[in-house]
């Protein structure tokens, strides 16, 4: 039998591994390959936005999408008045699907302003929404100044909140998106993390880690990105510091039963079920027009800043050595 000291060391190492998830790079989507790896979704917006999601060639011809300034530009039309057909915009989805992993998005700019509803998110394509789950990493509407991170699932997923930045709290522990429910959200109070505050700092980095135990989001403003986030192929999330949001599955939510086969999505819709519905509650926006649709139809100039500029989206998987195994039995 090993001496007791071996057992103590083994136990300590096991705890360490549980927190320190080592990753290795899988995909590096940048100005060199982004559009080879994402599809344009040319469909009606299911959230009823005043938007016309155009196909790839149209988007590029109309300068709504392309490689630009060292990154990937994705935006809405900002030159034409539009009718109720909607303002041209884009929604792109990764060709690959993912189960678990670390996803790091580095954005120089995100869409901002009244009428906008941008999102950087993932969702399960099989089974169909919401049963494959949805993870909203960056999302908000109108002149909102802070980011909302949200999970949407089928019935039977109740989470708890981890140790996150002070000010963040959980809207509800029930992530079910059926029966008129809206998922479970953690809303940041950091005004550098969304919209104009984010853009004023030349953006920043959002990282999302998805394991069997939890779903965690970190935000790093451009001027405080720690070493080991962008400058490595093998990030270790135990060095990422306090997250902006963390949803822990525990007994209430078997994460692997509710989140699977996710694609990565970046979209920009306008008005619709969120931005349009809360227009009246946003004094900055109501001062500009009486309804969201009226504003979006008649004010192309207002959408000059309604674009994403993506430096990179990178994906990582856990290295097998860091996957949590059952501790090895002692050999006799
Ligand atoms: C990702 O690709 C870019 C070029 O598009 C390169 O500069 C960068 O070093 C790559 N990053 C990693 C981690 O491989
Ligand atoms: C855009 O993204 C948000 C992300 O939460 C999503 O709810 C909405 O349906 C999306 N609009 C579409 C389908 O493009
Ligand atoms: C698809 O894109 C074309 C142009 O690229 C556009 O005319 C059409 O309205 C789009 N269809 C939908 C359903 O968004
Ligand atoms: C959530 O946060 C807001 C402001 O940050 C606070 O007013 C509210 O009381 C909090 N709710 C809970 C349930 O902690």
């Amino acid at each position: 039998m090993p001496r007791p000291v071996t057992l103590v060391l083994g136990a300590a190492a096991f705890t360490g591994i549980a927190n320190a998830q080592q990753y290795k790079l899988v995909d590096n989507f940048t100005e060199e390959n982004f559009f080879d790896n994402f599809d344009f979704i040319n469909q009606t917006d299911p959230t009823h936005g005043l938007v016309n999601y155009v196909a790839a060639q149209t988007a590029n011809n109309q300068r709504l999408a392309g490689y630009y300034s060292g990154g990937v530009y994705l935006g809405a039309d900002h030159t034409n008045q539009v009718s109720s057909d909607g303002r041209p915009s884009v929604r792109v989805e990764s060709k690959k699907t993912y189960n678990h992993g670390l996803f790091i998005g580095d954005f120089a700019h995100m869409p901002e302003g009244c009428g906008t509803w941008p999102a950087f998110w993932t969702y399960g394509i099989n089974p169909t929404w919401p049963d494959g789950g949805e993870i909203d990493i960056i999302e908000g509407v109108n002149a909102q100044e802070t980011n909302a991170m949200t999970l949407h699932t089928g019935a039977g997923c109740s989470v708890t909140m981890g140790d996150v930045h002070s000010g963040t709290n959980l809207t509800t522990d029930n992530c079910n998106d059926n029966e008129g429910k809206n998922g479970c959200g953690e809303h940041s109070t950091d005004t550098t993390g969304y919209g104009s505050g984010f853009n004023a700092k030349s953006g920043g980095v959002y990282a999302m880690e998805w394991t069997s135990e939890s779903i965690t989001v970190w935000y790093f403003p451009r001027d405080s990105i720690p070493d080991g986030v962008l400058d490595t192929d093998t990030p270790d999330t135990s060095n990422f510091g306090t997250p902006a949001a963390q949803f822990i599955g525990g007994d209430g939510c078997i994460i692997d039963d509710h989140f699977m086969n996710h694609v990565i999505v970046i979209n920009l819709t306008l008005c619709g079920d969120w931005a349009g519905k809360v227009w009246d509650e946003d004094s900055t926006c109501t001062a500009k027009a009486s309804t969201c649709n009226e504003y979006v139809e008649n004010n192309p100039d207002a959408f000059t800043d309604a674009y994403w500029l993506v430096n990179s989206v990178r994906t990582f998987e856990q290295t097998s050595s860091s996957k949590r195994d059952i501790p090895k039995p002692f050999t006799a």
Side-chain angles (χ1 to χ4, degrees):
M1 284 292 287
R3 289 164 34 194
V5 65
T6 309
L7 179 61
V8 171
L9 280 174
F14 180 65
T15 312
I17 288 165
N19 295 322
Q21 315 280 12
Q22 290 288 347
Y23 285 91
K24 65 173 189 220
L25 184 69
V26 176
D27 301 300
N28 179 24
F29 301 129
T30 67
E31 59 164 342
E32 292 185 354
N33 61 0
F34 187 91
F35 292 111
D36 299 332
N37 291 287
F38 281 76
D39 292 321
F40 284 76
I41 304 302
N42 182 216
Q43 285 169 3
T44 307
D45 174 8
T47 55
H48 312 106
L50 191 67
V51 75
N52 176 9
Y53 280 135
V54 295
Q57 196 56 57
T58 310
N60 194 234
N61 293 346
Q62 296 183 1
R63 313 263 163 125
L64 307 182
Y67 297 123
Y68 171 77
S69 186
V72 177
Y73 180 101
L74 299 164
D77 170 274
H78 58 89
T79 47
N80 299 300
Q81 293 213 348
V82 299
S83 64
S84 55
D85 291 346
R87 183 164 291 287
S89 184
V90 294
R91 167 175 169 152
V92 294
E93 293 190 2
S94 65
K95 293 185 179 181
K96 276 175 79 169
T97 58
Y98 301 87
N99 284 288
H100 292 177
L102 174 65
F103 304 82
I104 301 185
D106 177 359
F107 301 94
H109 190 276
M110 68 173 289
E112 65 168 269
C114 295
T116 61
W117 175 4
F120 170 51
W121 54 299
T122 70
Y123 79 100
I125 52 170
N126 180 29
T128 53
W129 192 91
D131 293 327
E134 171 176 332
I135 305 171
D136 298 322
I137 305 165
I138 306 179
E139 190 179 15
V141 293
N142 296 325
Q144 192 175 312
E145 293 182 334
T146 55
N147 187 36
M149 294 148 282
T150 309
L151 305 184
H152 302 266
T153 65
C157 173
S158 281
V159 295
T160 55
M161 189 168 71
D163 185 12
V164 299
H165 283 155
S166 61
T168 299
N169 57 29
L170 191 63
T171 51
T172 163
D173 63 0
N174 186 352
C175 304
N176 186 359
D177 209 292
N178 295 302
E179 301 143 19
K181 296 186 172 66
N182 265 321
C184 54
E186 295 184 19
H187 294 208
S188 170
T189 53
D190 180 350
T191 54
T192 72
Y194 186 84
S196 57
F198 183 82
N199 295 332
K201 283 187 170 282
S202 303
V205 172
Y206 273 89
M208 186 272 282
E209 181 182 47
W210 165 19
T211 69
S212 298
E213 287 79 33
S214 59
I215 291 167
T216 307
V217 177
W218 288 265
Y219 167 59
F220 309 111
R222 177 72 51 208
D223 55 11
S224 49
I225 302 168
D227 291 346
V229 175
L230 288 183
D231 55 355
T232 177
D233 289 357
T234 54
D236 176 349
T237 56
S238 67
N239 299 329
F240 280 18
T242 307
Q246 184 171 52
F247 304 87
I248 297 172
D251 294 337
C253 183
I254 308 299
I255 288 182
D256 291 348
D257 289 349
H258 291 279
F259 295 87
M260 62 202 82
N261 306 323
H262 278 213
V263 290
I264 303 167
V265 192
I266 301 176
N267 70 350
L268 169 58
T269 190
L270 303 163
C271 304
D273 292 346
W274 188 8
K277 274 196 183 142
V278 301
W279 182 265
D280 288 346
E281 296 161 24
D282 188 320
S283 56
T284 306
C285 298
T286 46
K288 295 174 191 279
S290 59
T291 66
C292 188
N293 283 6
E294 185 190 313
Y295 186 67
V296 168
E297 286 171 13
N298 299 322
N299 296 283
D301 289 353
F303 297 91
T304 345
D305 277 322
Y307 69 93
W308 294 96
L309 186 58
V310 185
N311 291 330
S312 63
V313 172
R314 292 185 295 148
T315 76
F316 303 83
E317 65 184 16
Q318 274 186 7
T319 54
S320 50
S321 62
S322 70
K323 282 189 180 140
R324 221 175 311 168
D325 299 321
I326 296 166
K328 286 195 182 70
F330 296 123
T331 47

